[in-house]
Amino acid sequence: MTRKHEIKTALIDSGVTAVLRDIPEDRMVDVARAVHEGDVRAIELTADADRCSEQVAAVDRELADTDAIVGVGTVMDAAAARNAIEAGADFVLGPHLDEDVIEVCNRAGVLVIPGIMTPTEAADAMAAGADMLKLFPASTVGPGHIGAIQGPLGDVEIMPTGGIDTDNVADFFDAGAVAVGAGSALVDYEAIRSGDMDGVRKSAAAFADAVDDARE
């Protein structure tokens, strides 16, 4: 089994990737640890964060003794993909389809998940070598869009992100999602501001429970 396949399996098993966006740098490690303690295995930092590479490395060190996988999202171009890979990203996500990003990741053997919206983008992404597809922003089109894409293209693996919460996550899994991405619905920013890492853990755990319930 290749490392890429192991990461893909872990991401799907986790069911949800926690998107850690706009987290203060001095709290990123604590937040990542709390989210993982909330039973969320897949953690995404964003490439537009200050000192993203250093933060990825710090989170990797903190969670080295766990089953966590740490990726980088909001990867907009090949240069950002290379930076993410050099920082140690287990997987790379983009908000859009950039074939150069896919090529860089495939050369490095790193799982790559580009953002798509239309069947044309989905087909182009798969032809370029994408490992999974990120339906983004999912709230714009709703759960039914997953089946609309899978209908002509087959059983492609889709991870909707954007607007997913505990109220609608079951609808997306019922529609065929293999996993979801979630930010503010999973990450308690008020708790982060107050330094309440137990609150961060509980918020992540509540979302993880909703995912488990949705997949039963």
Side-chain angles (χ1 to χ4, degrees):
M1 182 182 295
T2 65
R3 174 64 174 164
K4 180 188 283 195
H5 185 68
E6 289 176 355
I7 296 300
K8 183 177 181 179
T9 300
L11 190 151
I12 293 174
D13 285 349
S14 175
V16 58
T17 295
V19 182
L20 305 188
R21 180 182 296 280
D22 296 329
I23 307 295
E25 184 178 347
D26 62 351
R27 294 200 170 162
M28 178 63 81
V29 168
D30 290 341
V31 170
R33 169 64 79 170
V35 166
H36 183 264
E37 288 174 350
D39 204 25
V40 175
R41 185 177 181 186
I43 296 171
E44 172 192 335
L45 283 66
T46 57
D48 53 357
D50 291 337
R51 294 176 10 105
C52 176
S53 295
E54 290 85 348
Q55 292 194 52
V56 170
V59 171
D60 272 339
R61 286 192 299 271
E62 177 69 14
L63 300 179
D65 61 341
T66 73
D67 63 355
I69 55 173
V70 181
V72 175
T74 319
V75 174
M76 300 292 294
D77 53 37
R82 282 190 286 269
N83 288 339
I85 292 166
E86 290 172 2
D90 291 318
F91 56 96
V92 167
L93 304 100
H96 70 314
L97 170 58
D98 186 308
E99 294 183 4
D100 291 337
V101 169
I102 296 174
E103 181 181 3
V104 167
C105 291
N106 281 335
R107 283 182 180 175
V110 173
L111 187 78
V112 58
I113 310 171
I116 61 93
M117 178 65 76
T118 68
T120 297
E121 290 174 336
D124 288 347
M126 298 305 294
D131 297 296
M132 295 171 58
L133 303 178
K134 172 181 172 180
L135 177 61
F136 177 82
S139 59
T140 302
V141 290
H145 199 63
I146 296 174
I149 289 176
Q150 290 175 330
L153 298 182
D155 193 23
V156 295
E157 292 169 312
I158 296 176
M159 183 176 80
T161 304
I164 313 295
D165 57 34
T166 55
D167 291 329
N168 64 22
V169 67
D171 296 332
F172 283 95
F173 279 108
D174 289 344
V178 298
V180 300
S184 58
L186 183 153
V187 183
D188 187 336
Y189 282 85
E190 184 60 37
I192 292 170
R193 282 189 287 271
S194 64
D196 177 14
M197 292 303 118
D198 187 52
V200 174
R201 180 189 60 77
K202 288 178 179 178
S203 179
F207 202 105
D209 288 344
V211 168
D212 288 344
D213 290 344
R215 297 201 292 184
E216 286 184 349

